[in-house]
Amino acid sequence: MDSEEDSSQQQHHLSQWDTYLVGFVTANIVGLKYYAGTISGREFVGLIREPHNAYDPNAIKVLNTRALQVGHIERAAAAVLAPLIDSHLITVEGIVPNPRSAANKFRIPCQVHVFAHSSAFAAVTDAFANSPLHLISQSDPSFTLSDSIAVKETRAENKFKSLDAVFKFVEENVKNRVLQPLQPPPNVIKTELLQHQKEALGWLVHRETSGDLPPFWEERDNSFVNALTNYQTNTRPEPLRGGIFADAMGLGKTLTLLSLIGLDLDRRENAKRGRKRTRNGGSGSGSGSGSSSEDMESDATLIVCTPSAMSTWVAQLEEHTLRGALKTYIYYGDRRTGDAEELKKYDVVLTTYSTLANELRLAEAPVKRVVWWRVVLDEAHTIKNVNAGQSQAVIALKAKRRWAVTGTLVQNGYSDLFSLMAFLRFEPFSIKNYWQSLVQRPLSQGNARGLNRLQVLMAAISLRRTKEMSSVGLPLKTIETHHIELSAEERKMYDEAKEEADAILLRYGSSEGLVYSYSAVISMILRLRQICTDFALCPSDFKSHLLPSSDIEDVSKNPELLQTLVRILQDGEDFECPICISPPTDIVITCCAHIFCQPCILKTLQRSNPRCPLCRRSLSESDLFSAPPELSNVDTTELCSSEKGLSTKAFTLIKLLTESRDQDPTAKSVVFSQFSKLLLLLEEPLKAAGFKTLRLDGTMNAKQRANVIEQFQGSEKDGPMVLLASLRTSSTGINLTAASRVYLMEPWWNTGVEEQAIDRVHRIGQKEAVKVVRLIAQNSIEEKILMLRERKQARKGFGMGMDMVVDDLRFLLE
């Protein structure tokens, strides 16, 4: 497993750049007699680096479409390819051009196609020139002999396609698809479903019970062929039981899923009354249950969610199901059971991604020993980084039916979808090599074939309806931008900070230089944003800690600077790890002052010749520094007694809230910010203005969050009217329909997170028109962030390599 994770991480690392076909070499697949995997004809194969192989440290194993090992690339070829793979210069893909010859039972010729970033072409070609392998490039007449899809698509017309094109196709497919509505059993579900929920229930049941061939499989002459890879088998492929339930946020997916669970319970109750128990597709092997004789089969549905969504699931169970109808267990924190048999007693087991991640390496963890009837990933975009521990944990779960549920299907680009394919175990897309070749690379290069494949795939296995398409009839939502002019003092402080930003650009003007000073640049951007919101967030001596003393920042001998840098980054919730382009799960700082997720950088260090992914400096685990724990007991008295007084934004917010209260004293409001300290700063001024407030942030556990939401959703006349909420903490899995006003204190990098937060208010159950107000400082970095978001939306799905990241940083600071 470790070797496959290493390879997957390597592929992910290279996928941050656009890679192009350098050429191909011919090498034999050997060791055929030792493995069960077969190749019956011209077939695309996966090549996986296996650095821990006991017999050959250069080993590259070969997998067929069904993820079964066929053999290894012969040693002589592997000795040339493996060092280039390990140094991140190339990625490789393979295709067997001809059916296996009966005359040669011990080897199969394979065309190994080599891909690299354009800047590495010269180094790669030089490496092959000094090796026994002949690299056939596009200038070689023999290049036309390649049977690879990659070659054909290299010659294809390059057309830019946006991510929206995929989902527009899916939405059109939904309009043309006849969705047969189903009613949930009244002895379990007490709430009447809306029409679009009944139709979704019918689709979910169809996906779980249909015997249709998986997408891209065809029956030909009593055999079955995968149209993409040419894999052929006489055994009918198992149907994919499950898929992606991607209705827009706020359309009631939770109630629909509870209805699906209720149908199973109703069937079991009927069986108890003497009917013959029937379950279509009972074995479910096509869904990748991966069970063994020691595993325990269960009728339960395992629901994996975020901590903030846990309370929502509990509340929805109480609201929509008859008391006691669904036996529910929370597998979370101190309530974990040590006995897998205990988990089989329940209809629903609720747990969190972090709980599963903590148990990933515990072989006897009860949740891993159960073969679940169904696993539901709520807010499934949580696993967009396939290499993170929580992603690996849910992918490893055993289940007969698998559902990825999210209203925000894609945040960073098409690569987010690969982790969902891995969880669904939909071969061959669940294998990184195949995903890269068939979808990711063609899409990143604007090729129509990759787009068409993804459209067909998503139309077959996903259901997505928007609020506009559904018949739910939600109240109107309006969004307006309120531009704010900074005060003279704020403008002076902002301009001084901007001068420091200009100094960074002058000193580290090249792309390479900006990469070296990445942490300083990010810190500078963060401070500019804080000044726009409230300069009390920004310490007066921050400038002395920003500029590095050399081209490669080294804070290993300066603990004070190290902690200062960490706290600067912890002030903002939206810092992203440069490896996975996601918020870091555990912040780690290297001796060269670059910041990563702990799982990401540790996997990078497992390779030979480990280096920092940003500055290429040699690294070891002794060069890593853990972030100090976040201070949960902040001195609110000190924060609220700032001599600087209210910031312009805080003053404007209170003015808008007061105007709203004058218009409608019953209207509740949610104020979102990514800065937890700002939420504390606002409490006293709002109290002085006569507002009763609640706060919801990342320092609270699930029980505390549930209590805050319950109080805010209450209808008491003297109850709290303003909720101060952390944007990321409140962007998923909670219901805030008691409010009809939303205030965004600053722009968020990722529009998806912002939209999720807004849809906590604008969703089923909302009775009033919703008004959203963005507060944006004029002539500031905030306006550039809005422009950058539009640029990122336009290129979604086309990679977020360091070249683009550096361009973005320069754009923000210029």
Side-chain angles (χ1 to χ4, degrees):
M1 183 70 179
D2 290 342
S3 62
E4 290 191 35
E5 289 181 14
D6 290 345
S7 175
S8 178
Q9 178 77 358
Q10 168 252 325
Q11 294 280 357
H12 182 83
H13 177 79
L14 271 176
S15 70
Q16 301 306 314
W17 289 265
D18 287 336
T19 56
Y20 298 89
L21 182 63
V22 183
F24 71 93
V25 299
T26 300
N28 289 314
I29 304 172
V30 297
L32 309 179
K33 63 181 179 180
Y34 301 110
Y35 301 100
T38 60
I39 295 174
S40 55
R42 179 185 177 277
E43 186 179 333
F44 189 44
V45 294
L47 303 179
I48 306 294
R49 183 73 176 90
E50 198 175 24
H52 305 306
N53 186 290
Y55 303 101
D56 181 8
N58 293 318
I60 300 172
K61 64 182 179 181
V62 182
L63 306 181
N64 67 14
T65 303
R66 306 310 298 273
L68 297 175
Q69 185 166 357
V70 177
H72 285 92
I73 294 295
E74 58 188 338
R75 278 179 178 260
V80 178
L81 296 167
L84 295 174
I85 296 172
D86 295 343
S87 62
H88 314 306
L89 280 176
I90 68 170
T91 55
V92 292
E93 298 165 4
I95 188 167
V96 173
N98 299 304
R100 182 176 172 186
S101 171
N104 195 339
K105 300 179 180 178
F106 304 107
R107 64 187 62 223
I108 303 174
C110 176
Q111 292 177 349
V112 179
H113 291 78
V114 178
F115 296 84
H117 186 245
S118 56
S119 63
F121 268 38
V124 172
T125 53
D126 287 347
F128 279 100
N130 297 318
S131 79
L133 291 181
H134 175 48
L135 179 68
I136 301 173
S137 64
Q138 294 189 47
S139 60
D140 193 314
S142 300
F143 188 73
T144 58
L145 298 177
S146 171
D147 283 327
S148 175
I149 293 171
V151 172
K152 296 179 175 63
E153 293 179 350
T154 299
R155 303 180 189 132
E157 182 181 357
N158 192 345
K159 295 181 179 179
F160 184 92
K161 293 288 185 179
S162 72
L163 188 64
D164 294 336
V166 174
F167 300 107
K168 184 177 180 181
F169 180 91
V170 173
E171 290 176 4
E172 288 299 323
N173 182 275
V174 169
K175 290 178 182 178
N176 298 327
R177 181 191 302 164
V178 177
L179 296 173
Q180 296 294 337
L182 273 183
Q183 292 276 9
N187 59 322
V188 180
I189 304 298
K190 63 183 181 180
T191 303
E192 176 68 20
L193 268 62
L194 299 172
Q195 182 63 23
H196 75 278
Q197 292 172 314
K198 295 175 185 177
E199 291 172 353
L201 179 59
W203 181 79
L204 293 170
V205 171
H206 173 75
R207 290 290 311 152
E208 289 198 344
T209 59
S210 171
D212 295 345
L213 285 171
F216 303 107
W217 281 92
E218 301 172 359
E219 186 172 4
R220 301 177 189 168
D221 300 327
N222 298 320
S223 65
F224 302 91
V225 179
N226 188 294
L228 294 180
T229 65
N230 284 322
Y231 178 82
Q232 185 172 334
T233 177
N234 292 325
T235 303
R236 184 182 180 88
E238 291 284 349
L240 181 69
R241 302 209 182 279
I244 301 174
F245 187 19
D247 272 1
M249 294 170 288
L251 289 183
K253 295 187 291 295
T254 302
L255 173 56
T256 307
L257 290 163
L258 290 176
S259 299
L260 178 66
I261 296 169
L263 282 172
D264 280 339
L265 179 64
D266 191 51
R267 291 189 187 116
R268 289 196 294 272
E269 291 300 319
N270 287 337
K272 289 178 183 178
R273 288 191 290 267
R275 296 183 184 179
K276 181 181 179 181
R277 181 174 181 175
T278 60
R279 283 182 179 259
N280 294 322
S283 67
S285 59
S287 295
S289 62
S291 59
S292 67
S293 58
E294 297 180 359
D295 293 327
M296 303 178 185
E297 294 203 1
S298 171
D299 290 328
T301 294
L302 176 69
I303 298 170
V304 188
C305 59
T306 60
S308 59
M310 179 73 76
S311 59
T312 298
W313 274 96
V314 173
Q316 295 272 296
L317 279 160
E318 293 178 354
E319 180 181 352
H320 299 304
T321 65
L322 293 174
R323 181 180 293 275
L326 292 177
K327 290 182 288 184
T328 303
Y329 185 85
I330 298 179
Y331 186 78
Y332 181 62
D334 295 333
R335 291 195 59 192
R336 294 179 205 162
T337 177
D339 186 4
E341 286 285 353
E342 178 72 14
L343 298 179
K344 293 176 59 179
K345 300 176 183 178
Y346 298 92
D347 303 304
V348 176
V349 176
L350 287 164
T351 191
T352 64
Y353 290 97
S354 56
T355 300
L356 295 181
N358 291 335
E359 299 193 347
L360 178 60
R361 299 193 181 279
L362 300 178
E364 295 302 312
V367 73
K368 294 169 64 176
R369 294 178 56 206
V370 175
V371 181
W372 302 95
W373 177 247
R374 178 187 297 108
V375 170
V376 173
L377 298 192
D378 190 23
E379 308 292 351
H381 53 270
T382 302
I383 68 164
K384 63 186 177 184
N385 174 13
V386 72
N387 301 299
Q390 59 189 18
S391 304
Q392 294 293 319
V394 297
I395 290 170
L397 290 170
K398 305 178 184 74
K400 298 177 181 178
R401 284 140 174 80
R402 294 170 179 263
W403 287 105
V405 182
T406 173
T408 311
L409 195 55
V410 172
Q411 292 187 336
N412 293 325
Y414 297 117
S415 57
D416 290 359
L417 296 173
F418 170 68
S419 59
L420 301 188
M421 294 300 108
F423 165 71
L424 295 173
R425 299 195 180 180
F426 181 28
E427 300 161 353
F429 298 102
S430 57
I431 304 170
K432 187 69 174 184
N433 287 76
Y434 288 102
W435 175 263
Q436 284 285 108
S437 295
L438 297 173
V439 178
Q440 186 68 38
R441 182 173 292 107
L443 280 171
S444 67
Q445 297 173 7
N447 188 282
R449 294 193 186 192
L451 177 69
N452 292 339
R453 290 178 195 132
L454 186 57
Q455 285 179 325
V456 171
L457 171 63
M458 297 305 294
I461 69 169
S462 71
L463 178 67
R464 178 169 177 80
R465 280 91 50 85
T466 63
K467 292 173 182 175
E468 292 73 26
M469 293 170 60
S470 73
S471 56
V472 66
L474 282 176
L476 179 68
K477 178 181 72 176
T478 59
I479 301 178
E480 65 180 50
T481 300
H482 196 100
H483 292 280
I484 295 170
E485 185 174 347
L486 297 177
S487 68
E489 185 180 1
E490 289 167 333
R491 175 56 63 185
K492 181 175 181 292
M493 190 174 186
Y494 183 89
D495 289 343
E496 289 176 356
K498 186 65 172 61
E499 288 180 8
E500 297 294 335
D502 294 340
I504 290 178
L505 282 181
L506 286 173
R507 185 171 180 179
Y508 304 99
S510 67
S511 295
E512 184 178 4
L514 281 178
V515 170
Y516 284 150
S517 57
Y518 187 84
S519 296
V521 174
I522 290 292
S523 300
M524 192 73 252
I525 290 173
L526 177 61
R527 288 315 183 201
L528 288 171
R529 299 177 68 198
Q530 288 175 323
I531 294 169
C532 290
T533 299
D534 193 325
F535 48 36
L537 300 172
C538 189
S540 58
D541 62 343
F542 74 92
K543 292 182 234 177
S544 62
H545 297 298
L546 287 176
L547 292 177
S549 57
S550 61
D551 285 344
I552 298 180
E553 300 167 276
D554 191 334
V555 297
S556 60
K557 296 181 181 179
N558 192 334
E560 182 180 353
L561 175 58
L562 176 66
Q563 292 205 6
T564 300
L565 186 58
V566 174
R567 289 196 177 105
I568 286 173
L569 294 170
Q570 285 183 330
D571 280 345
E573 290 188 327
D574 59 344
F575 176 75
E576 292 183 336
C577 166
I579 295 178
C580 63
I581 317 297
S582 301
T585 50
D586 294 297
I587 292 179
V588 167
I589 294 185
T590 66
C591 66
C592 46
H594 295 124
I595 299 177
F596 304 96
C597 294
Q598 182 175 328
C600 288
I601 194 64
L602 287 178
K603 292 210 174 190
T604 298
L605 298 185
Q606 290 175 8
R607 303 189 192 90
S608 58
N609 193 23
R611 296 179 179 274
C612 172
L614 286 178
C615 67
R616 309 307 299 160
R617 172 175 175 161
S618 295
L619 283 181
S620 65
E621 285 197 34
S622 62
D623 296 322
L624 305 181
F625 297 82
S626 296
E630 188 170 358
L631 301 177
S632 56
N633 298 319
V634 181
D635 189 342
T636 57
T637 303
E638 179 182 345
L639 282 172
C640 298
S641 61
S642 170
E643 296 179 359
K644 298 176 181 178
L646 282 178
S647 70
T648 303
K649 270 198 182 180
F651 179 82
T652 304
L653 172 68
I654 293 175
K655 179 182 176 183
L656 293 172
L657 285 169
T658 303
E659 291 174 354
S660 175
R661 180 176 60 187
D662 292 343
Q663 293 172 2
D664 182 0
T666 65
K668 292 188 178 185
S669 302
V670 181
V671 178
F672 285 118
S673 175
Q674 63 219 36
F675 301 117
S676 296
K677 288 183 181 178
L678 180 67
L679 305 180
L680 293 165
L681 282 166
L682 290 171
E683 285 184 327
E684 283 300 319
L686 285 170
K687 182 179 178 182
F691 292 97
K692 188 173 181 179
T693 67
L694 288 169
R695 179 165 45 86
L696 187 68
D697 62 31
T699 65
M700 300 175 176
N701 60 34
K703 185 176 181 180
Q704 290 170 325
R705 294 179 192 179
N707 184 47
V708 168
I709 295 168
E710 183 179 357
Q711 288 186 62
F712 186 69
Q713 288 289 99
S715 57
E716 294 81 3
K717 289 184 178 180
D718 60 344
M721 301 303 291
V722 177
L723 176 66
L724 300 168
S726 161
L727 187 56
R728 186 172 291 283
T729 302
S730 308
S731 65
T732 59
I734 62 175
N735 188 338
L736 301 176
T737 52
S740 58
R741 303 287 186 271
V742 175
Y743 298 91
L744 301 171
M745 293 300 291
E746 58 277 318
W748 185 260
W749 292 119
N750 192 317
T751 55
V753 176
E754 192 175 278
E755 289 165 359
Q756 283 179 307
I758 294 171
D759 282 326
R760 299 305 102 197
V761 175
H762 190 242
R763 59 191 298 112
I764 288 178
Q766 180 57 257
K767 308 299 183 186
E768 307 292 333
V770 174
K771 181 179 180 181
V772 181
V773 180
R774 289 195 182 100
L775 301 180
I776 300 294
Q778 287 182 315
N779 301 316
S780 76
I781 195 171
E782 292 190 339
E783 292 182 330
K784 286 209 164 188
I785 289 171
L786 294 180
M787 295 168 65
L788 181 60
R789 292 196 330 189
E790 293 180 8
R791 283 173 41 169
K792 289 179 71 174
Q793 281 293 111
R795 72 185 184 215
K796 243 183 185 182
F798 293 87
M800 275 295 292
M802 285 311 300
D803 291 343
M804 285 188 176
V805 171
V806 168
D807 286 344
D808 292 344
L809 297 179
R810 186 178 287 110
F811 170 77
L812 289 172
L813 291 179
E814 282 177 343

